[in-house]
Amino acid sequence: MRYVYDVVVVGAGNGGLSAASKLAQAGLKVIMLEKHNLPGGVATSLVRGRFEFEASLHELCDVGTEEQPLAVRNIFKGLGVDAPMVNEKNLFRAIVTGEDGYDVTLKAGEALFEESLEAACPGSGKSIKKLKDLLAKTREALAYNDRMNGRPNKLVMIFKYSKFLIAASHSVDEVLRSLGFSKKARSVLETYWLYLGVPADELNAFHYFQMLRGYIDSGAGVPEHKSYGLSLGLAESVLKNGGEIRYNTEVDRFLYDDDKRVIGVAAGGDEYYAKQVVSNVIPHNVFNMSERRNTAEKDRKLLNARRFGLSFVCLYVGLDRSAEELGIKDYTVFVAKKDSSRTQYDDDADLGVYVVNCLNVAVPDATPAGTCSMFFSIPVFSDKLMNGVEPENYKQFKSEIAKRYIADYEQVTGIRISDCIEEISVATPVTFARYFGSPNGTAYGYRLSRWDGLMARILSAADEFKIKGLTFCGGHTASGDGFGVSYASGLEAADRVLALLKEEGV
Amino acid sequence: MTDKKREGRRGLRLSIGNFLKILPIRKKKIEDAPDSDVRKTGSYKPNELAGIIHPGLQHLIVTQVKDLTEDVKLYRLEADRENGCERLAPFGAGSYLTFEMTVGSGRCSRPYSICSSPKDAEKGFYEIAVRRTPGGVVSNYIHENWKEGTRVTAQEPAGEFLYEPVRDAKHVICLAGGTGITPFRSMVKAVLEGSEDFRIDLIYSARKEKELLFREELDGAAGTDERISVRYVLSDEEKAGYGTGFITKDMVAQAAQDGEPYSVFICGPQKMYRYLDGELKGLDLRKKYVRRELFGEIRDLSDEEDYVRPGADEFTLTVSQNGQRTAIRCRRDESLLCAMERAGIAAPSRCRSGVCGFCHSKLVNGSCYTPAQSDFRREADRLYGYIHPCCAYPLSDLEIDVPAAGKIKI
Ligand SMILES: Cc1cc2nc3c(=O)[nH]c(=O)nc-3n(C[C@H](O)[C@H](O)[C@H](O)COP(=O)(O)OP(=O)(O)OC[C@H]3O[C@@H](n4cnc5c(N)ncnc54)[C@H](O)[C@@H]3O)c2cc1C
Ligand code: FES
């Protein structure tokens, strides 16, 4: 069959959903094609027995409160999607074992955050003040940049917002050092590096602080109906506004005209033509589905220079005891073997660090009464981890990894869970590869390496992937991974498409 | 960089000069990269494994047919290379295969447990045992039509009825009823061959002695491996050496070792599940220690306490699929999935028991009933009106939006 639309959105992940929702809202004839039979991509959930597990979301950044909504809540409000969520009061508990180890809990809210950091790392006061100042300056600079529509006056930037430029061009660790934080305080403050997947001595400081500020301001946002509830809500808004969604529909080819313009996509023999195509699918896969003559040398080289971000092994564990009975008090616990993200990162497949969430702490009735669920996320490098894993020993491989991390958690926290496991499911890079088709099973798109960090990407964005008729959105774009930024990137893609269509007089 | 070196940089003044270097560094990095084609996604290890473990559909060929009893046949299936299936997807003992076929003008799928072992699949074959169900559409079709050389289509192995050492007790008391022996035969073989390591005490019930499947094999396994034991229970016959009647909680308690935790795995007809639900209550087992295979399609809603029989015996079901609307008839006592299949609509399905979510569809209007024990929908699905048509029954005329059945991947 041959279909014609204003816009085709390929992939119903976070970015694709928000893009399609906004485009449908704008009254365009939109269709979204998704290879899986559910919307959301990683923003999904899985049911085992009487448990429904959150599949991927730890916490939403930058949500604000119901009364004073910030970015993420505003996105849902703007798209007319009901997205009930709670604000978790603690940022995290970080347990570092071994020499110089610590067990620190940081609280959300500016004053409480400072108080808890000072309590954990006495003498940080002065540095905290400087950090606050830096965060404020960064915010001002961004506001100025927005006012100038992304074309700021260079001199103003240099003289008025030099602090921002510094944060924008140094690593987290460099900036925290320059602010005079102690080794322990730096380590504590850098705990979130995992969410961006690059160690703190390489990770762009501006990028990281943006996220940190988002969490400090309103605490982690936890959706009441799991991230799948948000996905389904967005899908509903697409349908409500007259858009179409086709599930079980895997795009296998991007269609170009002689002018190297994307004019549509093909899926299982059907062709979908459109004035504009939005791809929530990672550029690597789009290039695999495009003929070489239609792609630019520069873009191919960029993709070949890039490395993929982290993947994860996830354990979804349903326990037949409540969180209170087990003594679980924290929503988010980071466990690390050593206190430097760099040594962890260089440690190959086993990064010696993982995050454990207990959803019931934030959303008490997330599982039936008398039970609770735990979600372990273990960041991994797919290549090294999967070395030696064969189809025949895959089941055993999953059991062994689960056993190892559960035992470690028990040992580190003193909380015993292994004898109350009622359900368990294990996801690996193979799972990511299976459901999302992401190359190497990456969960985080492209690695935010020093040379390819947020600032570098933003500054170059205008010159990259200049493919007519095609706009990318999602965690693999300039803004990097993360739920909130992916939703935002979808809206940006939609805005771009709307502007382009306007130019063309549609 | 070593820690020492980095310590040496403490207090280092940061400059905005770095900002100016961002673009040149990036440019250089990209210029130095090769201009080869972007590496194929399928060539990365996780993607390659995903392709082998989850091929979607598999083209198979029947290579052996054996009569096990009067109404049960054993089928051996191998990869159909001529149709592009190079190797069989691996599976854990206890998995099932869903077969897809066209019977008359209807499109059907049915799950059958794999009764061969994981290593057999490595060697190149799966086995399933199919009982001819009186009046049954697919089982009779299979019995009549599957011969050596018949080409068939199966989905990838699926299911959650697997032994999981992190969760289950090391000692598993397996309760099998009739054809429900199939996944346990796979587990017994898996233990023998070393794919799995747990203790199996199998209590196998059938109506009559001659209906017991794999009898010699099971006795042989019990004789050679001390981790395995088998006892038989006959409901319609009294014979020396066999238990009589149904499987009781006392038989289970007897198989248990003093004080040691044990898991109970159950596979059999729906009647047996319902009966054992009550029978095992007396043992006060934690839910975590009782696992049963999928319930299967519910044919008789009168057992469901909260089911309110609607006024009419038949309804109009409007199915929209990829924008095309078709109105069909749906009987009161058949699932929406069955109605679609009878009408020749290719709707996705796998477990046919409400669990896998493969048939996930949107209820556009009208109402339907989902039995509580088959309702494994996600919370948000219920909020937004999504249903699993394999276990949804009409209460009024209704319209549903159904995704196309996935295309063959290989
Ligand atoms: C996980 C799993 C594993 C399984 N493994 C095996 C296995 O190893 N071996 C095996 O033999 N089977 C197995 N089954 C059962 C199998 O999938 C089929 O259900 C079985 O073969 C009957 O299918 P059928 O098409 O012949 O019967 P169906 O046509 O589905 O009919 C079954 C019965 O229902 C009656 N019926 C049909 N339609 C209606 C209706 N509308 N209203 C009322 N009654 C109706 C029929 O008369 C018949 O008595 C398994 C099922 C599951 C869920
Ligand atoms: S086919 Fe599995 S839930 Fe319907």
Side-chain angles (χ1 to χ4, degrees), chain A residues 311-345:
Chain A
S311 187
F312 285 90
V313 167
C314 297
L315 314 182
Y316 310 102
V317 190
L319 302 170
D320 68 355
R321 295 279 181 274
S322 69
E324 298 85 70
E325 281 174 277
L326 292 167
I328 298 170
K329 297 195 180 69
D330 308 289
Y331 172 64
T332 306
V333 181
F334 285 83
V335 180
K337 295 270 164 241
K338 303 161 202 140
D339 70 343
S340 149
S341 53
R342 172 53 66 186
T343 33
Q344 284 154 19
Y345 202 65

Short mmCIF file of all heavy atoms in Angstrom, two decimals, chain A residues 311-345:
data_model
loop_
_atom_site.label_atom_id
_atom_site.label_comp_id
_atom_site.label_asym_id
_atom_site.label_seq_id
_atom_site.Cartn_x
_atom_site.Cartn_y
_atom_site.Cartn_z
N SER A 311 24.99 0.59 28.18
CA SER A 311 23.76 -0.19 28.20
C SER A 311 23.56 -0.62 29.66
O SER A 311 24.33 -0.23 30.53
CB SER A 311 23.87 -1.40 27.28
OG SER A 311 22.62 -2.04 27.21
N PHE A 312 22.55 -1.43 29.89
CA PHE A 312 22.26 -1.83 31.26
C PHE A 312 21.89 -3.30 31.37
O PHE A 312 21.36 -3.88 30.43
CB PHE A 312 21.08 -1.03 31.82
CG PHE A 312 21.44 0.37 32.17
CD1 PHE A 312 21.33 1.39 31.24
CD2 PHE A 312 21.93 0.67 33.43
CE1 PHE A 312 21.69 2.69 31.55
CE2 PHE A 312 22.30 1.97 33.76
CZ PHE A 312 22.18 2.97 32.82
N VAL A 313 22.18 -3.83 32.53
CA VAL A 313 21.52 -5.06 32.93
C VAL A 313 20.51 -4.60 33.99
O VAL A 313 20.88 -3.86 34.90
CB VAL A 313 22.50 -6.08 33.54
CG1 VAL A 313 21.74 -7.21 34.23
CG2 VAL A 313 23.42 -6.63 32.46
N CYS A 314 19.27 -4.96 33.82
CA CYS A 314 18.25 -4.55 34.79
C CYS A 314 17.65 -5.78 35.45
O CYS A 314 17.36 -6.77 34.78
CB CYS A 314 17.13 -3.78 34.11
SG CYS A 314 17.69 -2.25 33.37
N LEU A 315 17.51 -5.70 36.75
CA LEU A 315 16.82 -6.77 37.47
C LEU A 315 15.50 -6.20 37.97
O LEU A 315 15.48 -5.14 38.59
CB LEU A 315 17.62 -7.23 38.70
CG LEU A 315 19.12 -7.50 38.56
CD1 LEU A 315 19.66 -8.00 39.89
CD2 LEU A 315 19.39 -8.50 37.46
N TYR A 316 14.43 -6.89 37.65
CA TYR A 316 13.12 -6.50 38.16
C TYR A 316 12.73 -7.57 39.16
O TYR A 316 12.55 -8.73 38.80
CB TYR A 316 12.12 -6.44 37.01
CG TYR A 316 12.63 -5.62 35.84
CD1 TYR A 316 13.13 -6.24 34.70
CD2 TYR A 316 12.65 -4.23 35.92
CE1 TYR A 316 13.63 -5.48 33.64
CE2 TYR A 316 13.14 -3.47 34.86
CZ TYR A 316 13.63 -4.10 33.73
OH TYR A 316 14.12 -3.36 32.68
N VAL A 317 12.63 -7.17 40.40
CA VAL A 317 12.45 -8.17 41.45
C VAL A 317 11.17 -7.87 42.24
O VAL A 317 11.00 -6.78 42.77
CB VAL A 317 13.66 -8.16 42.43
CG1 VAL A 317 13.60 -9.36 43.36
CG2 VAL A 317 14.98 -8.15 41.66
N GLY A 318 10.27 -8.85 42.28
CA GLY A 318 9.05 -8.71 43.07
C GLY A 318 9.21 -9.49 44.37
O GLY A 318 9.52 -10.68 44.34
N LEU A 319 9.03 -8.84 45.50
CA LEU A 319 9.25 -9.48 46.79
C LEU A 319 7.93 -9.69 47.52
O LEU A 319 7.04 -8.84 47.45
CB LEU A 319 10.18 -8.59 47.63
CG LEU A 319 11.54 -8.28 46.99
CD1 LEU A 319 12.27 -7.21 47.77
CD2 LEU A 319 12.38 -9.54 46.90
N ASP A 320 7.83 -10.80 48.24
CA ASP A 320 6.56 -11.05 48.92
C ASP A 320 6.58 -10.55 50.36
O ASP A 320 5.97 -11.13 51.25
CB ASP A 320 6.14 -12.52 48.81
CG ASP A 320 7.04 -13.48 49.58
OD1 ASP A 320 8.06 -13.02 50.13
OD2 ASP A 320 6.72 -14.68 49.63
N ARG A 321 7.30 -9.46 50.56
CA ARG A 321 7.29 -8.74 51.83
C ARG A 321 7.23 -7.26 51.50
O ARG A 321 7.71 -6.85 50.45
CB ARG A 321 8.58 -9.00 52.63
CG ARG A 321 8.77 -10.44 53.08
CD ARG A 321 7.96 -10.74 54.35
NE ARG A 321 8.18 -12.11 54.78
CZ ARG A 321 7.50 -13.18 54.33
NH1 ARG A 321 6.56 -13.02 53.41
NH2 ARG A 321 7.76 -14.39 54.77
N SER A 322 6.67 -6.47 52.41
CA SER A 322 6.58 -5.03 52.13
C SER A 322 7.94 -4.37 52.39
O SER A 322 8.80 -4.93 53.06
CB SER A 322 5.52 -4.39 53.02
OG SER A 322 5.98 -4.40 54.37
N ALA A 323 8.09 -3.16 51.85
CA ALA A 323 9.34 -2.41 52.04
C ALA A 323 9.60 -2.19 53.52
O ALA A 323 10.74 -2.32 53.99
CB ALA A 323 9.27 -1.08 51.29
N GLU A 324 8.53 -1.88 54.27
CA GLU A 324 8.71 -1.64 55.71
C GLU A 324 9.22 -2.91 56.40
O GLU A 324 10.17 -2.86 57.18
CB GLU A 324 7.41 -1.22 56.39
CG GLU A 324 6.79 0.08 55.91
CD GLU A 324 5.92 -0.12 54.67
OE1 GLU A 324 4.85 -0.73 54.80
OE2 GLU A 324 6.32 0.30 53.58
N GLU A 325 8.58 -4.01 56.09
CA GLU A 325 9.00 -5.28 56.72
C GLU A 325 10.47 -5.57 56.44
O GLU A 325 11.18 -6.11 57.28
CB GLU A 325 8.17 -6.45 56.17
CG GLU A 325 6.79 -6.58 56.75
CD GLU A 325 6.01 -7.68 56.05
OE1 GLU A 325 5.43 -7.38 54.97
OE2 GLU A 325 6.00 -8.80 56.54
N LEU A 326 10.91 -5.22 55.24
CA LEU A 326 12.29 -5.54 54.87
C LEU A 326 13.28 -4.48 55.35
O LEU A 326 14.48 -4.67 55.31
CB LEU A 326 12.39 -5.68 53.35
CG LEU A 326 11.66 -6.88 52.76
CD1 LEU A 326 11.55 -6.76 51.26
CD2 LEU A 326 12.38 -8.17 53.13
N GLY A 327 12.75 -3.33 55.78
CA GLY A 327 13.62 -2.26 56.23
C GLY A 327 14.16 -1.41 55.09
O GLY A 327 15.22 -0.79 55.20
N ILE A 328 13.43 -1.38 53.98
CA ILE A 328 13.86 -0.55 52.85
C ILE A 328 13.25 0.83 53.02
O ILE A 328 12.02 0.97 53.09
CB ILE A 328 13.40 -1.17 51.51
CG1 ILE A 328 14.05 -2.55 51.34
CG2 ILE A 328 13.75 -0.26 50.35
CD1 ILE A 328 13.47 -3.35 50.19
N LYS A 329 14.11 1.85 53.09
CA LYS A 329 13.60 3.19 53.35
C LYS A 329 13.87 4.15 52.21
O LYS A 329 13.35 5.26 52.17
CB LYS A 329 14.26 3.75 54.62
CG LYS A 329 13.93 2.94 55.87
CD LYS A 329 14.29 3.74 57.12
CE LYS A 329 13.97 2.94 58.37
NZ LYS A 329 14.85 1.77 58.55
N ASP A 330 14.75 3.76 51.29
CA ASP A 330 15.17 4.70 50.26
C ASP A 330 14.57 4.35 48.92
O ASP A 330 14.50 3.18 48.53
CB ASP A 330 16.70 4.67 50.13
CG ASP A 330 17.37 4.87 51.48
OD1 ASP A 330 17.30 6.00 51.98
OD2 ASP A 330 17.92 3.88 52.02
N TYR A 331 14.19 5.40 48.19
CA TYR A 331 13.71 5.18 46.84
C TYR A 331 14.89 4.87 45.92
O TYR A 331 14.84 3.94 45.12
CB TYR A 331 12.94 6.41 46.34
CG TYR A 331 12.59 6.30 44.87
CD1 TYR A 331 11.74 5.28 44.43
CD2 TYR A 331 13.13 7.16 43.93
CE1 TYR A 331 11.44 5.15 43.08
CE2 TYR A 331 12.83 7.03 42.58
CZ TYR A 331 11.99 6.02 42.17
OH TYR A 331 11.71 5.87 40.84
N THR A 332 15.95 5.66 46.05
CA THR A 332 17.12 5.46 45.19
C THR A 332 18.38 5.23 46.00
O THR A 332 18.73 6.07 46.84
CB THR A 332 17.37 6.70 44.31
OG1 THR A 332 16.19 7.02 43.60
CG2 THR A 332 18.50 6.45 43.32
N VAL A 333 19.03 4.13 45.76
CA VAL A 333 20.33 3.88 46.40
C VAL A 333 21.37 3.64 45.31
O VAL A 333 21.18 2.78 44.44
CB VAL A 333 20.28 2.63 47.32
CG1 VAL A 333 21.62 2.41 47.99
CG2 VAL A 333 19.19 2.76 48.35
N PHE A 334 22.43 4.41 45.36
CA PHE A 334 23.56 4.15 44.48
C PHE A 334 24.58 3.35 45.27
O PHE A 334 24.92 3.73 46.39
CB PHE A 334 24.23 5.46 44.03
CG PHE A 334 23.46 6.22 42.99
CD1 PHE A 334 22.42 7.07 43.36
CD2 PHE A 334 23.80 6.12 41.65
CE1 PHE A 334 21.71 7.79 42.41
CE2 PHE A 334 23.10 6.84 40.68
CZ PHE A 334 22.05 7.67 41.07
N VAL A 335 25.05 2.27 44.71
CA VAL A 335 26.08 1.49 45.39
C VAL A 335 27.32 1.51 44.51
O VAL A 335 27.23 1.25 43.31
CB VAL A 335 25.63 0.03 45.61
CG1 VAL A 335 26.73 -0.77 46.31
CG2 VAL A 335 24.34 -0.01 46.43
N ALA A 336 28.46 1.86 45.09
CA ALA A 336 29.70 1.86 44.31
C ALA A 336 30.81 1.21 45.10
O ALA A 336 30.82 1.24 46.33
CB ALA A 336 30.08 3.29 43.93
N LYS A 337 31.72 0.62 44.38
CA LYS A 337 32.83 -0.07 45.04
C LYS A 337 33.97 0.88 45.38
O LYS A 337 34.69 0.71 46.33
CB LYS A 337 33.40 -1.15 44.11
CG LYS A 337 32.44 -2.25 43.83
CD LYS A 337 32.58 -3.35 44.87
CE LYS A 337 31.38 -4.24 44.81
NZ LYS A 337 30.62 -4.29 46.03
N LYS A 338 34.18 1.85 44.53
CA LYS A 338 35.26 2.81 44.75
C LYS A 338 34.65 4.19 44.56
O LYS A 338 33.61 4.32 43.95
CB LYS A 338 36.38 2.60 43.74
CG LYS A 338 36.94 1.21 43.78
CD LYS A 338 37.69 0.92 42.49
CE LYS A 338 37.79 -0.57 42.28
NZ LYS A 338 37.59 -0.96 40.89
N ASP A 339 35.33 5.19 45.05
CA ASP A 339 34.67 6.49 45.02
C ASP A 339 35.09 7.35 43.84
O ASP A 339 34.99 8.55 43.89
CB ASP A 339 34.91 7.23 46.34
CG ASP A 339 36.35 7.67 46.47
OD1 ASP A 339 37.19 7.12 45.74
OD2 ASP A 339 36.61 8.56 47.29
N SER A 340 35.61 6.78 42.80
CA SER A 340 35.91 7.60 41.64
C SER A 340 35.19 7.03 40.43
O SER A 340 35.32 5.87 40.11
CB SER A 340 37.40 7.64 41.38
OG SER A 340 37.64 7.79 40.00
N SER A 341 34.42 7.86 39.78
CA SER A 341 33.69 7.37 38.62
C SER A 341 34.67 6.94 37.53
O SER A 341 34.37 6.06 36.74
CB SER A 341 32.73 8.43 38.10
OG SER A 341 33.39 9.65 37.86
N ARG A 342 35.84 7.54 37.48
CA ARG A 342 36.80 7.17 36.44
C ARG A 342 37.30 5.74 36.60
O ARG A 342 37.29 4.96 35.68
CB ARG A 342 37.97 8.18 36.43
CG ARG A 342 39.13 7.80 35.53
CD ARG A 342 38.73 7.51 34.11
NE ARG A 342 38.21 8.64 33.38
CZ ARG A 342 37.69 8.55 32.15
NH1 ARG A 342 37.63 7.38 31.54
NH2 ARG A 342 37.24 9.61 31.56
N THR A 343 37.73 5.40 37.82
CA THR A 343 38.21 4.03 37.99
C THR A 343 37.09 3.04 37.71
O THR A 343 37.29 2.00 37.13
CB THR A 343 38.77 3.77 39.41
OG1 THR A 343 38.03 4.54 40.32
CG2 THR A 343 40.23 4.11 39.49
N GLN A 344 35.88 3.41 38.10
CA GLN A 344 34.77 2.51 37.82
C GLN A 344 34.61 2.34 36.32
O GLN A 344 34.41 1.26 35.81
CB GLN A 344 33.49 3.07 38.42
CG GLN A 344 33.41 2.88 39.91
CD GLN A 344 32.52 3.92 40.55
OE1 GLN A 344 31.71 4.54 39.90
NE2 GLN A 344 32.69 4.12 41.84
N TYR A 345 34.72 3.43 35.63
CA TYR A 345 34.47 3.43 34.20
C TYR A 345 35.53 2.62 33.47
O TYR A 345 35.23 1.91 32.51
CB TYR A 345 34.50 4.86 33.70
CG TYR A 345 33.78 5.08 32.41
CD1 TYR A 345 32.40 4.90 32.33
CD2 TYR A 345 34.45 5.51 31.27
CE1 TYR A 345 31.71 5.15 31.17
CE2 TYR A 345 33.77 5.75 30.09
CZ TYR A 345 32.40 5.57 30.05
OH TYR A 345 31.73 5.82 28.89
#
